Amino acid sequence: MVFVLVAVAVLALLAGVHRYVWRRLIGDTTARGSLARRVGTVAAFVLPLLTVGALVSSRSGVPFPVQQVLAWPGYLWLAALLYLTLALLVGEAVRPLLSRFLARRAAARQTAPVDVSVGAPAVQVPAAAEPGPATDGSTRTDPAPDTEVPAPPVADPSRRLFVARAVGGAAALAGLGTVGLGTYGVLRGPRTKRITVRLAGLPRSAHGFRIAMVSDIHLGPILGRAHTRRVVDAINATSPDLVAVVGDLVDGSVADLGPAAEPLAGLEARHGSYFVTGNHEYFSGAAEWVDHVRELGLHPLENARVEIAGFDLAGVNDVAGESEGQGPDFARALGDRDRGRASVLLAHQPVVIDDAVEYGVGLQLSGHTHGGQLWPGNLVAALANPTVAGYERYGDTQLYVSRGAGAWGPPVRVGAPSDITVVELASPQA
């Protein structure tokens, strides 16, 4: 019952937002029966249907080519709707100010003296010879010679339409421009960030060890093989000692996305490449993906630990795996280790930081949040995650959260650019 009520509330909210956007962008700016209004009204119905189709098709076994057709317009409209709505809400404050400015300017033009010398349309009243008696016996007083009378004010019935079109056009330009730039940022590929982390217990011999960390690539109906190649090229360009793929690699099955993931076989690192599951793997067949990435040369860490040069590298399954009995098991991954050794933990979601602290982990590397992906989504992400992006300390445990290299849903990022992070480990002895 609660789920039904929430679903109804969400649908009602979306319907209200679409109605508002239609009214401000179409209803207030076009004439009844015009081609522009008909086209805008059709789009107002079709675009949300494409969005629903894109969301449903990925979970209902629809053929992958159909998912690809629905995904681009459906997901992009989600981002466009967000920023069009925000821009229009800002426009509500601008609208009365612009109307008042135009009204005052029109009034000033109507009351200003008219300069006859430049051909302004003044009404000239001929001078009378002399005041004299009117026909009814009263005394008549005529205007002074050459008195100028301003032309009668001209009504401006189009002012309201002009304001609606100006504000609506500016909102559309701002909203769609934001989405366009955000899409370019995703398709261009992730930028490389570098941080240095001082890690307790790390021997001098391992000082400067570089881990290329990437998360949330989100291969799917939009981001495919070309995106994987961009990510791999960016990682290899850093010449890392080790590569860590920290979950949410895919949004779909191995059958559909196996070819898109194949460039991962080209990852180059002296100590190999490692992988842990994210929540989206459990929506996409986690067991099949674990087997597939192993075939591509990555080493899955399923609640497991390996010894690397000078430190322990551990990985835990994502918390979403608990529904399949495959959730994180910190005791199995970390319970019997020598706590005197330095340790790095790969865990998709930053919410498990408390467990990392309990088991004496020196550094946890996570993703999942996308940094919010679409501003102001970072404010929402902060409600569910201890750290949304970047570096923080929790007692003796350090946490670094990547914004990820891809995007979920809309291939758009605003205020949260995608990244690959090279984490350089520093020894206290160096």
Side-chain angles (χ1 to χ4, degrees), residues 236 240-243 267-273:
N236 288 345
D241 296 305
L242 182 145
V243 176
L267 287 170
E268 300 173 356
R270 287 194 305 133
H271 292 273
S273 302

Side-chain angles (χ1 to χ4, degrees), residues 193-197 213 215-216 345 347-351 353 362-373 378 381-382 385-394 397-404 413 415-423:
K193 299 176 61 177
R194 298 176 184 272
I195 65 168
T196 299
V197 177
M213 171 199 177
S215 72
D216 302 280
L345 172 69
H348 177 64
Q349 297 195 41
V351 294
I353 186 63
L363 171 64
Q364 175 178 320
L365 301 178
S366 297
H368 181 65
T369 67
H370 297 205
Q373 185 169 326
N378 57 309
N385 296 278
T387 298
V388 174
Y391 172 91
E392 285 194 62
R393 290 191 69 99
Y394 293 84
T397 300
Q398 302 170 88
L399 171 66
Y400 179 79
V401 180
S402 169
R403 292 188 177 94
R413 282 179 172 265
S418 58
D419 64 61
I420 290 167
T421 303
V422 177
V423 181

Side-chain angles (χ1 to χ4, degrees), residues 110-145:
Q110 292 173 2
T111 58
V114 180
D115 187 354
V116 180
S117 64
V118 295
V123 179
Q124 298 292 335
V125 180
E130 290 290 341
T135 56
D136 59 358
S138 61
T139 300
R140 184 186 67 206
T141 302
D142 291 330

